Amino acid sequence: MDVIVIDREDARRAQVRALVECAGGAVAAYGDPGDFGARARWAPLYLVADEARALVATTILLTRFEKPAYIVAYGDEPAIQDVIGALSMGASDYITWPFGAHTIRNRLQTARAREASARRSVDWRAGEAERGKMRRLLEAMAKRLRRVA
């Protein structure tokens, strides 16, 4: 799954779903965060209609995954307070509805790039941890050799 859409408005949710498919993404759409929560799964991109409850619930649900989530809130004619509020509730980005398939394609590319970057970071940290273990093992062996000699 590439994109999860959460939007209470049936018609708009269907339109966003069609745009994601047009952009070449696999999509699952839910009318409510509760519906999503029952079948929560990780995806690179979450498109969430700008509604405080939906944004907060989605952010909380995504904490169970140990992967970064790229949450993009969207709404009709948002005021600056709406955008700031959505970003403070966990959204990574905000777009104004209506938007096109190219906008989704760009956000999906950004989400995939963030995921790849996070994966490299985790791989690097894992490599650093392994180097630390190896360093401690070598230091312990060196101590033993000094005692024997």
mmCIF file of all heavy atoms in Angstrom, residues 115-141:
data_model
loop_
_atom_site.group_PDB
_atom_site.id
_atom_site.type_symbol
_atom_site.label_atom_id
_atom_site.label_comp_id
_atom_site.label_asym_id
_atom_site.label_seq_id
_atom_site.Cartn_x
_atom_site.Cartn_y
_atom_site.Cartn_z
ATOM 1 N N GLU A 115 11.343 7.834 3.661
ATOM 2 C CA GLU A 115 11.437 6.452 4.139
ATOM 3 C C GLU A 115 12.831 5.883 3.861
ATOM 4 O O GLU A 115 13.453 5.264 4.723
ATOM 5 C CB GLU A 115 10.376 5.580 3.478
ATOM 6 C CG GLU A 115 10.466 4.127 3.885
ATOM 7 C CD GLU A 115 9.604 3.217 3.032
ATOM 8 O OE1 GLU A 115 9.023 3.671 2.034
ATOM 9 O OE2 GLU A 115 9.545 2.025 3.370
ATOM 10 N N ALA A 116 13.343 6.104 2.654
ATOM 11 C CA ALA A 116 14.673 5.605 2.294
ATOM 12 C C ALA A 116 15.741 6.244 3.176
ATOM 13 O O ALA A 116 16.663 5.576 3.634
ATOM 14 C CB ALA A 116 14.962 5.876 0.823
ATOM 15 N N SER A 117 15.610 7.526 3.434
ATOM 16 C CA SER A 117 16.561 8.229 4.295
ATOM 17 C C SER A 117 16.526 7.673 5.711
ATOM 18 O O SER A 117 17.569 7.444 6.328
ATOM 19 C CB SER A 117 16.245 9.725 4.307
ATOM 20 O OG SER A 117 17.094 10.394 5.196
ATOM 21 N N ALA A 118 15.324 7.432 6.214
ATOM 22 C CA ALA A 118 15.193 6.873 7.567
ATOM 23 C C ALA A 118 15.788 5.470 7.623
ATOM 24 O O ALA A 118 16.441 5.100 8.594
ATOM 25 C CB ALA A 118 13.732 6.839 7.987
ATOM 26 N N ARG A 119 15.589 4.696 6.559
ATOM 27 C CA ARG A 119 16.140 3.334 6.522
ATOM 28 C C ARG A 119 17.665 3.377 6.536
ATOM 29 O O ARG A 119 18.310 2.621 7.245
ATOM 30 C CB ARG A 119 15.634 2.599 5.283
ATOM 31 C CG ARG A 119 15.912 1.117 5.335
ATOM 32 C CD ARG A 119 15.337 0.335 4.166
ATOM 33 N NE ARG A 119 13.993 0.703 3.802
ATOM 34 C CZ ARG A 119 13.657 1.235 2.615
ATOM 35 N NH1 ARG A 119 14.571 1.457 1.702
ATOM 36 N NH2 ARG A 119 12.412 1.534 2.348
ATOM 37 N N ARG A 120 18.248 4.301 5.773
ATOM 38 C CA ARG A 120 19.709 4.434 5.765
ATOM 39 C C ARG A 120 20.202 4.854 7.145
ATOM 40 O O ARG A 120 21.224 4.382 7.611
ATOM 41 C CB ARG A 120 20.157 5.444 4.710
ATOM 42 C CG ARG A 120 20.130 4.909 3.298
ATOM 43 C CD ARG A 120 20.805 5.849 2.320
ATOM 44 N NE ARG A 120 20.238 7.180 2.307
ATOM 45 C CZ ARG A 120 19.197 7.559 1.581
ATOM 46 N NH1 ARG A 120 18.596 6.683 0.796
ATOM 47 N NH2 ARG A 120 18.756 8.802 1.627
ATOM 48 N N SER A 121 19.469 5.730 7.799
ATOM 49 C CA SER A 121 19.843 6.188 9.131
ATOM 50 C C SER A 121 19.825 5.030 10.114
ATOM 51 O O SER A 121 20.730 4.882 10.928
ATOM 52 C CB SER A 121 18.881 7.288 9.590
ATOM 53 O OG SER A 121 19.170 7.653 10.907
ATOM 54 N N VAL A 122 18.788 4.209 10.042
ATOM 55 C CA VAL A 122 18.700 3.041 10.930
ATOM 56 C C VAL A 122 19.821 2.070 10.620
ATOM 57 O O VAL A 122 20.464 1.530 11.522
ATOM 58 C CB VAL A 122 17.320 2.358 10.800
ATOM 59 C CG1 VAL A 122 17.310 0.997 11.478
ATOM 60 C CG2 VAL A 122 16.244 3.249 11.388
ATOM 61 N N ASP A 123 20.096 1.839 9.319
ATOM 62 C CA ASP A 123 21.192 0.947 8.933
ATOM 63 C C ASP A 123 22.521 1.475 9.463
ATOM 64 O O ASP A 123 23.352 0.722 9.947
ATOM 65 C CB ASP A 123 21.271 0.806 7.406
ATOM 66 C CG ASP A 123 20.105 0.021 6.839
ATOM 67 O OD1 ASP A 123 19.394 -0.647 7.624
ATOM 68 O OD2 ASP A 123 19.902 0.087 5.617
ATOM 69 N N TRP A 124 22.717 2.792 9.380
ATOM 70 C CA TRP A 124 23.957 3.383 9.862
ATOM 71 C C TRP A 124 24.070 3.196 11.372
ATOM 72 O O TRP A 124 25.104 2.815 11.878
ATOM 73 C CB TRP A 124 24.000 4.871 9.519
ATOM 74 C CG TRP A 124 25.235 5.527 10.042
ATOM 75 C CD1 TRP A 124 26.463 5.538 9.468
ATOM 76 C CD2 TRP A 124 25.377 6.236 11.272
ATOM 77 N NE1 TRP A 124 27.351 6.226 10.252
ATOM 78 C CE2 TRP A 124 26.706 6.660 11.371
ATOM 79 C CE3 TRP A 124 24.494 6.547 12.303
ATOM 80 C CZ2 TRP A 124 27.174 7.378 12.458
ATOM 81 C CZ3 TRP A 124 24.957 7.273 13.379
ATOM 82 C CH2 TRP A 124 26.292 7.678 13.447
ATOM 83 N N ARG A 125 22.968 3.446 12.096
ATOM 84 C CA ARG A 125 23.000 3.279 13.551
ATOM 85 C C ARG A 125 23.259 1.822 13.911
ATOM 86 O O ARG A 125 23.987 1.527 14.837
ATOM 87 C CB ARG A 125 21.699 3.771 14.180
ATOM 88 C CG ARG A 125 21.611 5.280 14.242
ATOM 89 C CD ARG A 125 20.520 5.745 15.160
ATOM 90 N NE ARG A 125 19.235 5.163 14.900
ATOM 91 C CZ ARG A 125 18.247 5.736 14.242
ATOM 92 N NH1 ARG A 125 18.396 6.942 13.755
ATOM 93 N NH2 ARG A 125 17.102 5.122 14.068
ATOM 94 N N ALA A 126 22.635 0.897 13.159
ATOM 95 C CA ALA A 126 22.868 -0.522 13.418
ATOM 96 C C ALA A 126 24.335 -0.847 13.169
ATOM 97 O O ALA A 126 24.967 -1.557 13.940
ATOM 98 C CB ALA A 126 21.967 -1.384 12.546
ATOM 99 N N GLY A 127 24.891 -0.287 12.085
ATOM 100 C CA GLY A 127 26.307 -0.509 11.792
ATOM 101 C C GLY A 127 27.191 0.063 12.880
ATOM 102 O O GLY A 127 28.187 -0.544 13.278
ATOM 103 N N GLU A 128 26.822 1.238 13.385
ATOM 104 C CA GLU A 128 27.578 1.866 14.473
ATOM 105 C C GLU A 128 27.514 1.003 15.725
ATOM 106 O O GLU A 128 28.513 0.826 16.419
ATOM 107 C CB GLU A 128 27.014 3.266 14.753
ATOM 108 C CG GLU A 128 27.790 4.044 15.779
ATOM 109 C CD GLU A 128 29.207 4.378 15.337
ATOM 110 O OE1 GLU A 128 29.467 4.505 14.133
ATOM 111 O OE2 GLU A 128 30.076 4.503 16.221
ATOM 112 N N ALA A 129 26.357 0.439 16.021
ATOM 113 C CA ALA A 129 26.212 -0.430 17.191
ATOM 114 C C ALA A 129 27.092 -1.673 17.044
ATOM 115 O O ALA A 129 27.757 -2.092 17.998
ATOM 116 C CB ALA A 129 24.754 -0.837 17.381
ATOM 117 N N GLU A 130 27.111 -2.232 15.843
ATOM 118 C CA GLU A 130 27.946 -3.410 15.594
ATOM 119 C C GLU A 130 29.429 -3.063 15.745
ATOM 120 O O GLU A 130 30.202 -3.836 16.316
ATOM 121 C CB GLU A 130 27.678 -3.987 14.202
ATOM 122 C CG GLU A 130 26.324 -4.625 14.069
ATOM 123 C CD GLU A 130 26.142 -5.795 15.023
ATOM 124 O OE1 GLU A 130 27.067 -6.603 15.181
ATOM 125 O OE2 GLU A 130 25.057 -5.875 15.626
ATOM 126 N N ARG A 131 29.830 -1.901 15.248
ATOM 127 C CA ARG A 131 31.225 -1.487 15.398
ATOM 128 C C ARG A 131 31.566 -1.298 16.873
ATOM 129 O O ARG A 131 32.661 -1.655 17.310
ATOM 130 C CB ARG A 131 31.490 -0.205 14.605
ATOM 131 C CG ARG A 131 31.579 -0.432 13.108
ATOM 132 C CD ARG A 131 32.044 0.808 12.371
ATOM 133 N NE ARG A 131 31.059 1.872 12.374
ATOM 134 C CZ ARG A 131 30.063 1.968 11.512
ATOM 135 N NH1 ARG A 131 29.923 1.056 10.565
ATOM 136 N NH2 ARG A 131 29.205 2.976 11.570
ATOM 137 N N GLY A 132 30.619 -0.756 17.646
ATOM 138 C CA GLY A 132 30.849 -0.585 19.082
ATOM 139 C C GLY A 132 31.027 -1.918 19.784
ATOM 140 O O GLY A 132 31.911 -2.073 20.635
ATOM 141 N N LYS A 133 30.201 -2.896 19.433
ATOM 142 C CA LYS A 133 30.330 -4.236 20.025
ATOM 143 C C LYS A 133 31.683 -4.848 19.672
ATOM 144 O O LYS A 133 32.357 -5.433 20.519
ATOM 145 C CB LYS A 133 29.216 -5.158 19.509
ATOM 146 C CG LYS A 133 27.863 -4.873 20.088
ATOM 147 C CD LYS A 133 26.845 -5.835 19.483
ATOM 148 C CE LYS A 133 25.439 -5.448 19.820
ATOM 149 N NZ LYS A 133 24.465 -6.313 19.145
ATOM 150 N N MET A 134 32.065 -4.705 18.407
ATOM 151 C CA MET A 134 33.344 -5.250 17.955
ATOM 152 C C MET A 134 34.501 -4.568 18.676
ATOM 153 O O MET A 134 35.446 -5.226 19.121
ATOM 154 C CB MET A 134 33.495 -5.072 16.441
ATOM 155 C CG MET A 134 34.763 -5.691 15.892
ATOM 156 S SD MET A 134 34.849 -7.479 16.131
ATOM 157 C CE MET A 134 33.677 -8.021 14.943
ATOM 158 N N ARG A 135 34.429 -3.244 18.844
ATOM 159 C CA ARG A 135 35.475 -2.501 19.542
ATOM 160 C C ARG A 135 35.597 -2.985 20.989
ATOM 161 O O ARG A 135 36.698 -3.239 21.478
ATOM 162 C CB ARG A 135 35.169 -0.997 19.487
ATOM 163 C CG ARG A 135 36.258 -0.130 20.068
ATOM 164 C CD ARG A 135 35.992 1.368 19.887
ATOM 165 N NE ARG A 135 34.640 1.773 20.221
ATOM 166 C CZ ARG A 135 33.715 2.168 19.340
ATOM 167 N NH1 ARG A 135 33.995 2.216 18.054
ATOM 168 N NH2 ARG A 135 32.509 2.532 19.735
ATOM 169 N N ARG A 136 34.467 -3.160 21.676
ATOM 170 C CA ARG A 136 34.494 -3.642 23.071
ATOM 171 C C ARG A 136 35.056 -5.063 23.150
ATOM 172 O O ARG A 136 35.826 -5.386 24.042
ATOM 173 C CB ARG A 136 33.100 -3.574 23.684
ATOM 174 C CG ARG A 136 32.671 -2.144 24.000
ATOM 175 C CD ARG A 136 31.381 -2.101 24.788
ATOM 176 N NE ARG A 136 30.228 -2.601 24.057
ATOM 177 C CZ ARG A 136 29.519 -1.915 23.171
ATOM 178 N NH1 ARG A 136 29.857 -0.665 22.899
ATOM 179 N NH2 ARG A 136 28.490 -2.456 22.574
ATOM 180 N N LEU A 137 34.692 -5.909 22.187
ATOM 181 C CA LEU A 137 35.215 -7.273 22.160
ATOM 182 C C LEU A 137 36.733 -7.265 21.960
ATOM 183 O O LEU A 137 37.465 -7.975 22.661
ATOM 184 C CB LEU A 137 34.533 -8.070 21.043
ATOM 185 C CG LEU A 137 35.006 -9.508 20.849
ATOM 186 C CD1 LEU A 137 34.701 -10.336 22.074
ATOM 187 C CD2 LEU A 137 34.354 -10.106 19.623
ATOM 188 N N LEU A 138 37.209 -6.443 21.034
ATOM 189 C CA LEU A 138 38.649 -6.367 20.789
ATOM 190 C C LEU A 138 39.395 -5.809 22.002
ATOM 191 O O LEU A 138 40.485 -6.290 22.341
ATOM 192 C CB LEU A 138 38.934 -5.500 19.558
ATOM 193 C CG LEU A 138 38.524 -6.127 18.218
ATOM 194 C CD1 LEU A 138 38.662 -5.118 17.097
ATOM 195 C CD2 LEU A 138 39.347 -7.371 17.932
ATOM 196 N N GLU A 139 38.814 -4.824 22.674
ATOM 197 C CA GLU A 139 39.444 -4.272 23.882
ATOM 198 C C GLU A 139 39.529 -5.337 24.969
ATOM 199 O O GLU A 139 40.536 -5.452 25.670
ATOM 200 C CB GLU A 139 38.662 -3.055 24.386
ATOM 201 C CG GLU A 139 38.842 -1.830 23.506
ATOM 202 C CD GLU A 139 37.868 -0.706 23.868
ATOM 203 O OE1 GLU A 139 37.004 -0.894 24.770
ATOM 204 O OE2 GLU A 139 37.968 0.361 23.235
ATOM 205 N N ALA A 140 38.464 -6.132 25.134
ATOM 206 C CA ALA A 140 38.474 -7.206 26.136
ATOM 207 C C ALA A 140 39.528 -8.258 25.793
ATOM 208 O O ALA A 140 40.255 -8.738 26.676
ATOM 209 C CB ALA A 140 37.095 -7.854 26.233
ATOM 210 N N MET A 141 39.651 -8.596 24.512
ATOM 211 C CA MET A 141 40.657 -9.575 24.105
ATOM 212 C C MET A 141 42.064 -9.021 24.332
ATOM 213 O O MET A 141 42.957 -9.749 24.769
ATOM 214 C CB MET A 141 40.458 -9.953 22.631
ATOM 215 C CG MET A 141 39.207 -10.790 22.402
ATOM 216 S SD MET A 141 38.863 -11.100 20.668
ATOM 217 C CE MET A 141 40.226 -12.106 20.196
#
